[in-house]
Amino acid sequence: NVFWRLSVYASPVTVTRLKHRINPDPSRVIARPFIPGGETRIRGILDRVLRIPETEARAMLTRLQENFRKNHPDLEEILLDHYDNVKEYNPDDKDLTEERRRLIGAYFTMEYAIEAAALFNPSMVPAFDQSGLPEGSLRFLMSLRATGEGHISSIVFRRGVIDRENNIIMEQRSPYNRQLKVKENRTYFKETYSLKLREMEGENPLANAVLERLQGEFTFKELCDVIEDVGKTQQYPMAMQETEEDMISLARANYQIEIPEHIDVSAAVIFPHSENESRGVEDVRLVRFIEEDGTPVYYGTYTAFNGFHILPQMFEVRDASNLTVHTLTGKYSQNKGMALFPRKVGGHYVMSSRIDNENLYIMKSDNVLVWNQADLVQTPQFPWELVQLGNCGSPLETEAGWLLLTHGVGPMRQYCIGATLLDLDDPTKVIGQTREPLMVPQGKERSGYVPNVVYSCGGMIHNDILVIPYAMSDISSSLAIVPLDELLDLLTR
């Protein structure tokens, strides 16, 4: 009876698919810098725009503002920021009016439809703000992977409420999107920076010469200044250029994002920033982590992709004004699908991962950013997961154990969702697992950008119900609910 057959699939527990559909919307856009060429072309565009007569320039700017402000309430600020990207090529910068700067900025701006291709791989956690809700209701925050032109992925958010009867109501979205700004001159810790540089095989005598001149904590500007000073003393400029690229690339992969006051979270967009993220930020696994003193911290582990390599990253939010992005380091900070437990276990941070792209591991660490210990806990056993096995988000704590949603890949590269129960005190011990999947792609769920896939990046428990947000074939998303007692009974049997 353990063998799963496509033709006679039936979930081992009651799974209710809800009617919610979270579909991609091509009208959702952000304003991105548009640099159509190198220095020569930039100077040519600047020269042509500067020759537009003042009266005509003002009329053009007025029309642009009328046409685009509905999507970008902060359009004036955006255009000035994008002018700053090219002002070094304009020798007459100081003589320009603000209106002319904004017009030039418009020529170096483009709209990007962040959801034009897909909106999928959701994750959900209890939201920051629980005010104004009836008793028994819970507001949740959901992250989604939005994909647009060129298959570049960014992170977007939605909010909703689960009421006392376990009905789910999605809140109204903001009418516009806003790309969150990056603070360039953040602070780095030399110890962790050096460790990751070594793992990237970027350590060499030139890099060491730079590191020796840096303090235990240093800023991005200080790093750039020291690299420039060290470069002046070197005989081999090509070697120094490679070292500079490695060190700056690593620094840019670790940054801070400003969260504007009073921004609606459904308007916020985390768009790729560093070279390591240039082809997308993928599959955020959210977790509301409770520190030992009871302080909540929101973490999100995700994959940075540059078209060739992947890099495990993590962001953390400790207050409503800043989001900090870190590169994960250590021997086992590799591959996709790293998901942090919502609290320490036995005094250690704990992470679920798929180090070898095939099996399920549990990792432990004394530092949330450094992972050097891993134990193999689960291998593919059943037909629906024989290709590979991984988590579907951070584990959920229950009285019976840690409930971990899993994904398995089987014949015809079909992705299904299952579940595993881990021991509360020792998560490397498996109490039980589903021999058959909870969810198999069916009907319209089978068609999309990547056919035959149901996938989640993290569910949530409310009252006696497990809520599973899930993606359908990498194009859109929905929700399903499962009676928690029924599932735990299955796993403990």
Side-chain angles (χ1 to χ4, degrees), residues 165-422:
E165 283 81 32
N166 294 319
N167 298 306
I168 299 178
I169 305 98
M170 299 300 297
E171 293 185 358
Q172 187 75 26
R173 293 184 72 171
S174 168
Y176 63 92
N177 288 103
R178 182 170 181 175
Q179 181 181 350
L180 300 183
K181 284 187 176 182
V182 172
K183 295 180 180 179
E184 289 288 355
N185 200 34
R186 66 156 295 187
T187 300
Y188 303 87
F189 294 96
K190 184 160 72 171
E191 182 179 358
T192 53
Y193 178 89
S194 302
L195 177 62
K196 193 61 186 180
L197 188 67
R198 190 177 309 125
E199 291 171 2
M200 293 171 56
E201 298 181 352
E203 188 180 44
N204 58 49
L206 293 176
N208 290 336
V210 172
L211 291 170
E212 287 173 2
R213 297 180 58 174
L214 292 168
Q215 301 296 318
E217 293 184 35
F218 59 90
T219 66
F220 183 78
K221 184 178 185 304
E222 288 169 344
L223 173 65
C224 294
D225 290 344
V226 171
I227 289 174
E228 183 179 358
D229 289 343
V230 171
K232 293 176 181 177
T233 67
Q234 303 304 314
Q235 296 180 331
Y236 306 103
M238 288 298 296
M240 190 63 214
Q241 181 179 344
E242 291 179 7
T243 298
E244 178 179 358
E245 289 174 355
D246 288 342
M247 299 189 80
I248 295 298
S249 175
L250 176 58
R252 284 185 172 153
N254 295 262
Y255 54 90
Q256 288 179 321
I257 291 176
E258 298 179 34
I259 304 176
E261 190 176 2
H262 306 309
I263 187 173
D264 188 319
V265 70
S266 67
V269 180
I270 301 177
F271 198 81
H273 168 69
S274 70
E275 292 88 344
N276 293 314
E277 299 171 345
S278 58
R279 300 305 299 173
V281 289
E282 303 178 354
D283 301 347
V284 171
R285 283 157 163 80
L286 287 177
V287 63
R288 184 177 184 268
F289 184 90
I290 303 300
E291 296 192 321
E292 291 171 303
D293 64 359
T295 303
V297 181
Y298 286 77
Y299 288 107
T301 49
Y302 68 93
T303 302
F305 182 54
N306 66 3
F308 302 97
H309 305 290
I310 60 173
L311 186 70
Q313 298 269 100
M314 171 187 280
F315 67 72
E316 67 172 286
V317 180
R318 292 182 175 271
D319 58 58
S321 60
N322 287 286
L323 181 150
T324 304
V325 175
H326 306 279
T327 299
L328 297 178
T329 64
K331 180 180 179 181
Y332 294 114
S333 60
Q334 54 186 282
N335 219 301
K336 297 184 176 183
M338 299 176 71
L340 187 68
F341 279 56
R343 65 170 174 84
K344 285 186 176 181
V345 181
H348 303 287
Y349 293 101
V350 184
M351 185 96 78
S352 169
S353 68
R354 195 184 67 201
I355 298 167
D356 57 10
N357 204 34
E358 186 171 286
N359 302 297
L360 198 63
Y361 290 79
I362 294 296
M363 307 192 299
K364 297 179 181 178
S365 177
D366 293 328
N367 186 326
V368 74
L369 301 180
V370 183
W371 299 90
N372 287 311
Q373 180 182 345
D375 294 297
L376 175 65
V377 297
Q378 195 171 339
T379 61
Q381 297 184 53
F382 305 114
W384 60 276
E385 61 181 13
L386 291 182
V387 174
Q388 68 188 47
L389 177 67
N391 68 64
C392 272
S394 293
L396 303 169
E397 187 168 6
T398 74
E399 291 183 357
W402 294 105
L403 177 60
L404 180 66
L405 292 174
T406 62
H407 68 268
V409 182
M412 299 298 292
R413 194 178 175 240
Q414 182 164 246
Y415 277 70
C416 302
I417 296 175
T420 293
L421 192 65
L422 306 173

Side-chain angles (χ1 to χ4, degrees), residues 433-446:
Q433 63 186 101
T434 52
R435 293 169 175 261
E436 295 179 344
L438 303 177
M439 299 180 68
V440 171
Q442 60 186 37
K444 293 182 179 180
E445 296 172 347
R446 294 183 58 192

Side-chain angles (χ1 to χ4, degrees), residues 20 86 124 129 202 256 304 310 361 375 414 438 459 462 482 488:
H20 293 279
V86 297
M124 63 192 300
D129 180 15
Q256 288 179 321
I310 60 173
Y361 290 79
D375 294 297
Q414 182 164 246
L438 303 177
H462 179 59
V482 179
L488 293 179

